Amino acid sequence: MGTIIQAGADFIYRPNERWELTGGMYTAKYTMPSRMHGAQFDIGLDASAAYRINDFMRIRFFGQYSGFGKQNSLNGYMSPMYPQSHYGAVLEMKVNDYLEIQGGVERVYNASKMKWETVPIFSPVIHLNRKKK
């Protein structure tokens, strides 16, 4: 059906107990069986900033810039599997040591429609190997 090869690196900086700053980059190559398009390439940057409000709540702002996502989507396979430019914010709420709920909004560039769209974010996060304090 095809391949996706993606590699990246992020640097995480925690200046104190409340703040977490992250930044990095990625590169990706996508191939699908096609005589028309062949392989597609992308490179991009990502960043986030998180602030812990209290022991149970944290707000996170994030963003990503895709260097070739628009070109790949329009000239390539018209597939949403490519990383696209996006930004947004989520509120992370800790329920207990194993469960966290995240909710917020995200602005995503939809290259096939050539416009920005706002989408809601809601996700449960399960921590399986949480160490007891």
Side-chain angles (χ1 to χ4, degrees), residues 57-107:
M57 287 194 312
R58 177 170 50 189
I59 188 163
R60 181 178 303 274
F61 300 94
F62 60 89
Q64 174 176 288
Y65 174 75
S66 169
F68 299 103
K70 177 180 176 182
Q71 173 187 334
N72 287 344
S73 223
L74 294 175
N75 299 327
Y77 312 115
M78 299 296 283
S79 172
M81 75 178 181
Y82 300 113
Q84 291 296 331
S85 297
H86 65 266
Y87 62 92
V90 293
L91 181 64
E92 303 170 355
M93 299 192 64
K94 179 180 171 183
V95 176
N96 57 36
D97 286 341
Y98 301 99
L99 180 63
E100 184 177 298
I101 304 292
Q102 299 180 354
V105 293
E106 180 178 26
R107 292 280 291 169

Short mmCIF file of all heavy atoms in Angstrom, two decimals, residues 57-107:
data_model
loop_
_atom_site.label_atom_id
_atom_site.label_comp_id
_atom_site.label_asym_id
_atom_site.label_seq_id
_atom_site.Cartn_x
_atom_site.Cartn_y
_atom_site.Cartn_z
N MET A 57 -4.16 20.46 36.62
CA MET A 57 -4.46 21.12 35.34
C MET A 57 -3.20 21.74 34.74
O MET A 57 -2.36 22.30 35.45
CB MET A 57 -5.49 22.23 35.52
CG MET A 57 -6.87 21.73 35.76
SD MET A 57 -8.15 23.00 35.59
CE MET A 57 -7.54 24.34 36.53
N ARG A 58 -3.11 21.62 33.41
CA ARG A 58 -2.02 22.23 32.66
C ARG A 58 -2.61 22.72 31.34
O ARG A 58 -3.45 22.06 30.73
CB ARG A 58 -0.92 21.21 32.41
CG ARG A 58 0.20 21.75 31.57
CD ARG A 58 1.39 20.84 31.51
NE ARG A 58 1.04 19.48 31.18
CZ ARG A 58 1.89 18.46 31.24
NH1 ARG A 58 3.11 18.64 31.64
NH2 ARG A 58 1.50 17.25 30.92
N ILE A 59 -2.16 23.89 30.88
CA ILE A 59 -2.57 24.39 29.56
C ILE A 59 -1.36 24.31 28.64
O ILE A 59 -0.24 24.61 29.06
CB ILE A 59 -3.16 25.82 29.65
CG1 ILE A 59 -3.76 26.19 28.30
CG2 ILE A 59 -2.14 26.82 30.13
CD1 ILE A 59 -4.71 27.36 28.34
N ARG A 60 -1.61 23.86 27.41
CA ARG A 60 -0.52 23.68 26.44
C ARG A 60 -0.88 24.39 25.14
O ARG A 60 -1.96 24.18 24.58
CB ARG A 60 -0.28 22.20 26.18
CG ARG A 60 0.84 21.92 25.19
CD ARG A 60 1.07 20.43 25.00
NE ARG A 60 1.37 19.75 26.25
CZ ARG A 60 2.58 19.64 26.79
NH1 ARG A 60 3.61 20.19 26.19
NH2 ARG A 60 2.75 19.00 27.92
N PHE A 61 0.03 25.22 24.65
CA PHE A 61 -0.07 25.85 23.34
C PHE A 61 0.93 25.16 22.43
O PHE A 61 2.06 24.90 22.84
CB PHE A 61 0.24 27.35 23.44
CG PHE A 61 -0.68 28.08 24.36
CD1 PHE A 61 -0.33 28.29 25.69
CD2 PHE A 61 -1.90 28.56 23.91
CE1 PHE A 61 -1.19 28.95 26.56
CE2 PHE A 61 -2.76 29.22 24.76
CZ PHE A 61 -2.40 29.42 26.09
N PHE A 62 0.54 24.87 21.19
CA PHE A 62 1.42 24.11 20.31
C PHE A 62 1.27 24.59 18.87
O PHE A 62 0.30 25.25 18.51
CB PHE A 62 1.10 22.61 20.39
CG PHE A 62 -0.31 22.28 20.01
CD1 PHE A 62 -0.64 22.01 18.69
CD2 PHE A 62 -1.32 22.27 20.95
CE1 PHE A 62 -1.94 21.72 18.33
CE2 PHE A 62 -2.62 21.98 20.61
CZ PHE A 62 -2.93 21.71 19.29
N GLY A 63 2.24 24.23 18.06
CA GLY A 63 2.18 24.58 16.65
C GLY A 63 3.19 23.77 15.85
O GLY A 63 4.18 23.27 16.40
N GLN A 64 2.92 23.65 14.56
CA GLN A 64 3.82 22.96 13.65
C GLN A 64 3.77 23.64 12.30
O GLN A 64 2.70 24.04 11.84
CB GLN A 64 3.41 21.50 13.49
CG GLN A 64 4.22 20.75 12.44
CD GLN A 64 3.84 19.29 12.38
OE1 GLN A 64 4.17 18.55 13.28
NE2 GLN A 64 3.16 18.90 11.34
N TYR A 65 4.93 23.80 11.66
CA TYR A 65 4.99 24.34 10.31
C TYR A 65 5.53 23.26 9.39
O TYR A 65 6.61 22.72 9.60
CB TYR A 65 5.89 25.57 10.24
CG TYR A 65 6.07 26.05 8.83
CD1 TYR A 65 5.05 26.72 8.18
CD2 TYR A 65 7.24 25.79 8.13
CE1 TYR A 65 5.18 27.14 6.87
CE2 TYR A 65 7.38 26.20 6.83
CZ TYR A 65 6.37 26.87 6.20
OH TYR A 65 6.50 27.28 4.90
N SER A 66 4.76 22.91 8.36
CA SER A 66 5.14 21.91 7.37
C SER A 66 5.66 22.63 6.13
O SER A 66 4.92 23.39 5.50
CB SER A 66 3.94 21.03 7.02
OG SER A 66 4.23 20.23 5.90
N GLY A 67 6.92 22.41 5.79
CA GLY A 67 7.53 23.10 4.66
C GLY A 67 6.94 22.73 3.31
O GLY A 67 6.80 23.58 2.44
N PHE A 68 6.59 21.46 3.12
CA PHE A 68 6.10 21.01 1.81
C PHE A 68 4.74 20.34 1.88
O PHE A 68 4.30 19.74 0.91
CB PHE A 68 7.11 20.04 1.17
CG PHE A 68 8.44 20.65 0.93
CD1 PHE A 68 9.51 20.38 1.76
CD2 PHE A 68 8.64 21.52 -0.13
CE1 PHE A 68 10.75 20.94 1.55
CE2 PHE A 68 9.87 22.09 -0.36
CZ PHE A 68 10.93 21.81 0.48
N GLY A 69 4.04 20.41 3.01
CA GLY A 69 2.76 19.74 3.17
C GLY A 69 1.74 20.17 2.13
O GLY A 69 1.04 19.36 1.54
N LYS A 70 1.65 21.48 1.89
CA LYS A 70 0.68 22.00 0.91
C LYS A 70 1.01 21.47 -0.48
O LYS A 70 0.14 20.96 -1.19
CB LYS A 70 0.70 23.53 0.93
CG LYS A 70 -0.22 24.15 -0.09
CD LYS A 70 -0.14 25.67 -0.01
CE LYS A 70 -0.98 26.30 -1.10
NZ LYS A 70 -0.90 27.75 -1.08
N GLN A 71 2.26 21.56 -0.86
CA GLN A 71 2.68 21.10 -2.19
C GLN A 71 2.44 19.60 -2.34
O GLN A 71 1.93 19.15 -3.35
CB GLN A 71 4.16 21.42 -2.40
CG GLN A 71 4.73 20.83 -3.67
CD GLN A 71 6.24 21.01 -3.72
OE1 GLN A 71 6.78 21.92 -3.14
NE2 GLN A 71 6.89 20.12 -4.43
N ASN A 72 2.81 18.82 -1.34
CA ASN A 72 2.63 17.38 -1.41
C ASN A 72 1.16 17.00 -1.51
O ASN A 72 0.78 16.10 -2.25
CB ASN A 72 3.23 16.70 -0.18
CG ASN A 72 4.74 16.70 -0.21
OD1 ASN A 72 5.35 16.92 -1.24
ND2 ASN A 72 5.35 16.48 0.94
N SER A 73 0.31 17.68 -0.75
CA SER A 73 -1.11 17.35 -0.77
C SER A 73 -1.75 17.74 -2.10
O SER A 73 -2.58 17.01 -2.61
CB SER A 73 -1.80 18.08 0.38
OG SER A 73 -2.70 17.23 1.01
N LEU A 74 -1.36 18.88 -2.65
CA LEU A 74 -1.98 19.31 -3.91
C LEU A 74 -1.42 18.59 -5.12
O LEU A 74 -2.15 18.25 -6.05
CB LEU A 74 -1.80 20.83 -4.08
CG LEU A 74 -2.54 21.68 -3.05
CD1 LEU A 74 -2.21 23.14 -3.23
CD2 LEU A 74 -4.03 21.46 -3.14
N ASN A 75 -0.12 18.35 -5.13
CA ASN A 75 0.50 17.69 -6.28
C ASN A 75 0.66 16.19 -6.08
O ASN A 75 0.98 15.49 -7.01
CB ASN A 75 1.88 18.30 -6.55
CG ASN A 75 1.79 19.76 -6.88
OD1 ASN A 75 0.82 20.20 -7.48
ND2 ASN A 75 2.79 20.53 -6.48
N GLY A 76 0.49 15.75 -4.87
CA GLY A 76 0.70 14.34 -4.57
C GLY A 76 -0.59 13.56 -4.55
O GLY A 76 -1.37 13.59 -5.50
N TYR A 77 -0.86 12.92 -3.46
CA TYR A 77 -1.93 11.95 -3.38
C TYR A 77 -3.24 12.53 -2.84
O TYR A 77 -4.19 11.79 -2.64
CB TYR A 77 -1.49 10.80 -2.48
CG TYR A 77 -0.13 10.28 -2.81
CD1 TYR A 77 0.90 10.40 -1.90
CD2 TYR A 77 0.13 9.71 -4.04
CE1 TYR A 77 2.16 9.95 -2.19
CE2 TYR A 77 1.40 9.26 -4.34
CZ TYR A 77 2.42 9.37 -3.42
OH TYR A 77 3.66 8.93 -3.72
N MET A 78 -3.27 13.83 -2.52
CA MET A 78 -4.48 14.43 -1.94
C MET A 78 -4.88 13.65 -0.69
O MET A 78 -6.04 13.37 -0.45
CB MET A 78 -5.63 14.47 -2.94
CG MET A 78 -5.35 15.29 -4.17
SD MET A 78 -5.11 17.01 -3.80
CE MET A 78 -6.78 17.52 -3.55
N SER A 79 -3.91 13.30 0.10
CA SER A 79 -4.14 12.46 1.28
C SER A 79 -3.88 13.24 2.55
O SER A 79 -2.93 14.02 2.61
CB SER A 79 -3.21 11.25 1.22
OG SER A 79 -3.29 10.52 2.41
N PRO A 80 -4.69 13.04 3.59
CA PRO A 80 -4.45 13.74 4.85
C PRO A 80 -3.34 13.13 5.69
O PRO A 80 -3.10 13.55 6.80
CB PRO A 80 -5.80 13.61 5.57
CG PRO A 80 -6.36 12.34 5.05
CD PRO A 80 -5.91 12.27 3.61
N MET A 81 -2.61 12.12 5.16
CA MET A 81 -1.56 11.50 5.96
C MET A 81 -0.33 12.38 6.09
O MET A 81 0.50 12.15 6.94
CB MET A 81 -1.18 10.14 5.40
CG MET A 81 -0.33 10.18 4.17
SD MET A 81 0.09 8.50 3.68
CE MET A 81 1.09 8.83 2.26
N TYR A 82 -0.19 13.40 5.26
CA TYR A 82 0.96 14.27 5.35
C TYR A 82 0.84 15.17 6.56
O TYR A 82 -0.23 15.69 6.84
CB TYR A 82 1.08 15.16 4.10
CG TYR A 82 1.23 14.40 2.83
CD1 TYR A 82 0.24 14.42 1.87
CD2 TYR A 82 2.37 13.65 2.59
CE1 TYR A 82 0.37 13.72 0.70
CE2 TYR A 82 2.51 12.95 1.41
CZ TYR A 82 1.51 12.98 0.47
OH TYR A 82 1.64 12.29 -0.68
N PRO A 83 1.95 15.44 7.26
CA PRO A 83 1.88 16.44 8.33
C PRO A 83 1.58 17.80 7.73
O PRO A 83 2.17 18.17 6.72
CB PRO A 83 3.28 16.43 8.94
CG PRO A 83 3.94 15.20 8.44
CD PRO A 83 3.27 14.84 7.15
N GLN A 84 0.64 18.52 8.29
CA GLN A 84 0.28 19.84 7.80
C GLN A 84 0.58 20.89 8.86
O GLN A 84 0.72 20.57 10.04
CB GLN A 84 -1.21 19.89 7.42
CG GLN A 84 -1.57 19.08 6.21
CD GLN A 84 -0.91 19.60 4.95
OE1 GLN A 84 -0.62 20.77 4.81
NE2 GLN A 84 -0.65 18.71 4.03
N SER A 85 0.66 22.13 8.44
CA SER A 85 0.84 23.22 9.40
C SER A 85 -0.41 23.32 10.27
O SER A 85 -1.52 23.19 9.78
CB SER A 85 1.08 24.53 8.66
OG SER A 85 2.27 24.45 7.90
N HIS A 86 -0.19 23.52 11.57
CA HIS A 86 -1.32 23.64 12.50
C HIS A 86 -0.86 24.33 13.78
O HIS A 86 0.34 24.41 14.06
CB HIS A 86 -1.93 22.27 12.83
CG HIS A 86 -1.00 21.36 13.57
ND1 HIS A 86 -0.21 20.44 12.92
CD2 HIS A 86 -0.72 21.23 14.88
CE1 HIS A 86 0.50 19.78 13.82
NE2 HIS A 86 0.21 20.24 15.02
N TYR A 87 -1.82 24.85 14.54
CA TYR A 87 -1.55 25.42 15.86
C TYR A 87 -2.81 25.33 16.69
O TYR A 87 -3.91 25.19 16.16
CB TYR A 87 -1.05 26.87 15.76
CG TYR A 87 -2.04 27.83 15.15
CD1 TYR A 87 -2.91 28.55 15.96
CD2 TYR A 87 -2.11 28.03 13.77
CE1 TYR A 87 -3.82 29.44 15.40
CE2 TYR A 87 -3.01 28.91 13.22
CZ TYR A 87 -3.86 29.62 14.03
OH TYR A 87 -4.76 30.49 13.48
N GLY A 88 -2.65 25.39 18.01
CA GLY A 88 -3.82 25.30 18.87
C GLY A 88 -3.46 25.32 20.34
O GLY A 88 -2.32 25.60 20.72
N ALA A 89 -4.45 25.00 21.17
CA ALA A 89 -4.28 24.97 22.61
C ALA A 89 -5.16 23.88 23.20
O ALA A 89 -6.26 23.63 22.70
CB ALA A 89 -4.65 26.31 23.23
N VAL A 90 -4.67 23.21 24.24
CA VAL A 90 -5.45 22.20 24.94
C VAL A 90 -5.31 22.41 26.44
O VAL A 90 -4.29 22.91 26.92
CB VAL A 90 -5.02 20.75 24.59
CG1 VAL A 90 -5.35 20.39 23.18
CG2 VAL A 90 -3.57 20.50 24.89
N LEU A 91 -6.35 22.04 27.16
CA LEU A 91 -6.33 22.00 28.61
C LEU A 91 -6.22 20.54 29.01
O LEU A 91 -7.04 19.71 28.59
CB LEU A 91 -7.61 22.63 29.19
CG LEU A 91 -7.68 22.67 30.71
CD1 LEU A 91 -6.59 23.57 31.28
CD2 LEU A 91 -9.04 23.15 31.16
N GLU A 92 -5.20 20.22 29.77
CA GLU A 92 -4.96 18.84 30.20
C GLU A 92 -5.40 18.72 31.66
O GLU A 92 -4.91 19.46 32.51
CB GLU A 92 -3.49 18.48 30.06
CG GLU A 92 -2.98 18.67 28.64
CD GLU A 92 -1.46 18.55 28.52
OE1 GLU A 92 -0.77 18.43 29.56
OE2 GLU A 92 -0.98 18.60 27.39
N MET A 93 -6.33 17.82 31.93
CA MET A 93 -6.85 17.63 33.29
C MET A 93 -6.56 16.21 33.77
O MET A 93 -6.99 15.24 33.15
CB MET A 93 -8.35 17.91 33.33
CG MET A 93 -8.66 19.33 32.93
SD MET A 93 -10.32 19.83 33.28
CE MET A 93 -10.33 19.73 35.05
N LYS A 94 -5.84 16.12 34.87
CA LYS A 94 -5.49 14.83 35.47
C LYS A 94 -6.65 14.35 36.33
O LYS A 94 -7.08 15.03 37.25
CB LYS A 94 -4.23 14.98 36.30
CG LYS A 94 -3.77 13.73 36.98
CD LYS A 94 -2.51 14.02 37.78
CE LYS A 94 -2.13 12.87 38.65
NZ LYS A 94 -0.97 13.17 39.48
N VAL A 95 -7.19 13.17 36.01
CA VAL A 95 -8.28 12.59 36.79
C VAL A 95 -7.72 11.79 37.96
O VAL A 95 -8.16 11.93 39.09
CB VAL A 95 -9.18 11.70 35.90
CG1 VAL A 95 -10.26 11.03 36.70
CG2 VAL A 95 -9.77 12.53 34.76
N ASN A 96 -6.75 10.93 37.67
CA ASN A 96 -6.04 10.18 38.70
C ASN A 96 -4.65 9.85 38.16
O ASN A 96 -4.25 10.39 37.13
CB ASN A 96 -6.82 8.92 39.14
CG ASN A 96 -7.13 7.99 37.99
OD1 ASN A 96 -6.33 7.84 37.08
ND2 ASN A 96 -8.29 7.37 38.02
N ASP A 97 -3.91 8.95 38.81
CA ASP A 97 -2.55 8.64 38.37
C ASP A 97 -2.49 7.96 37.01
O ASP A 97 -1.44 7.92 36.38
CB ASP A 97 -1.83 7.75 39.39
CG ASP A 97 -1.43 8.52 40.63
OD1 ASP A 97 -1.36 9.76 40.55
OD2 ASP A 97 -1.19 7.88 41.68
N TYR A 98 -3.59 7.40 36.55
CA TYR A 98 -3.59 6.64 35.31
C TYR A 98 -4.39 7.27 34.17
O TYR A 98 -4.23 6.88 33.03
CB TYR A 98 -4.12 5.23 35.57
CG TYR A 98 -3.31 4.49 36.60
CD1 TYR A 98 -3.73 4.41 37.91
CD2 TYR A 98 -2.10 3.92 36.25
CE1 TYR A 98 -2.97 3.76 38.86
CE2 TYR A 98 -1.33 3.26 37.19
CZ TYR A 98 -1.76 3.19 38.49
OH TYR A 98 -1.00 2.54 39.43
N LEU A 99 -5.26 8.23 34.46
CA LEU A 99 -6.14 8.79 33.45
C LEU A 99 -6.03 10.31 33.39
O LEU A 99 -6.04 10.98 34.41
CB LEU A 99 -7.59 8.39 33.73
CG LEU A 99 -8.65 8.90 32.76
CD1 LEU A 99 -8.43 8.35 31.36
CD2 LEU A 99 -10.04 8.56 33.26
N GLU A 100 -5.96 10.82 32.17
CA GLU A 100 -5.92 12.25 31.92
C GLU A 100 -6.88 12.55 30.77
O GLU A 100 -7.02 11.76 29.85
CB GLU A 100 -4.48 12.61 31.52
CG GLU A 100 -4.21 14.06 31.30
CD GLU A 100 -2.74 14.28 30.98
OE1 GLU A 100 -1.88 13.98 31.83
OE2 GLU A 100 -2.46 14.76 29.87
N ILE A 101 -7.56 13.68 30.83
CA ILE A 101 -8.47 14.12 29.77
C ILE A 101 -7.92 15.40 29.17
O ILE A 101 -7.53 16.31 29.89
CB ILE A 101 -9.90 14.39 30.32
CG1 ILE A 101 -10.45 13.16 31.04
CG2 ILE A 101 -10.83 14.86 29.22
CD1 ILE A 101 -10.74 11.99 30.13
N GLN A 102 -7.87 15.46 27.83
CA GLN A 102 -7.38 16.65 27.13
C GLN A 102 -8.48 17.17 26.21
O GLN A 102 -9.12 16.39 25.50
CB GLN A 102 -6.14 16.33 26.31
CG GLN A 102 -4.98 15.85 27.13
CD GLN A 102 -3.75 15.54 26.30
OE1 GLN A 102 -3.79 15.57 25.08
NE2 GLN A 102 -2.66 15.23 26.97
N GLY A 103 -8.68 18.49 26.22
CA GLY A 103 -9.67 19.10 25.34
C GLY A 103 -9.23 20.49 24.93
O GLY A 103 -8.60 21.20 25.70
N GLY A 104 -9.55 20.86 23.70
CA GLY A 104 -9.17 22.17 23.20
C GLY A 104 -9.58 22.37 21.76
O GLY A 104 -10.48 21.69 21.26
N VAL A 105 -8.90 23.29 21.08
CA VAL A 105 -9.15 23.55 19.66
C VAL A 105 -7.83 23.62 18.91
O VAL A 105 -6.79 23.92 19.49
CB VAL A 105 -9.92 24.87 19.44
CG1 VAL A 105 -11.32 24.78 19.99
CG2 VAL A 105 -9.18 26.04 20.03
N GLU A 106 -7.93 23.37 17.61
CA GLU A 106 -6.76 23.38 16.74
C GLU A 106 -7.13 23.99 15.40
O GLU A 106 -8.20 23.72 14.88
CB GLU A 106 -6.27 21.94 16.55
CG GLU A 106 -5.07 21.79 15.69
CD GLU A 106 -4.61 20.34 15.59
OE1 GLU A 106 -5.44 19.42 15.76
OE2 GLU A 106 -3.43 20.13 15.35
N ARG A 107 -6.26 24.82 14.87
CA ARG A 107 -6.40 25.37 13.52
C ARG A 107 -5.47 24.57 12.63
O ARG A 107 -4.26 24.51 12.88
CB ARG A 107 -6.03 26.84 13.47
CG ARG A 107 -6.96 27.76 14.21
CD ARG A 107 -8.21 28.11 13.48
NE ARG A 107 -7.94 28.95 12.32
CZ ARG A 107 -8.82 29.22 11.39
NH1 ARG A 107 -10.03 28.72 11.46
NH2 ARG A 107 -8.52 29.98 10.38
#
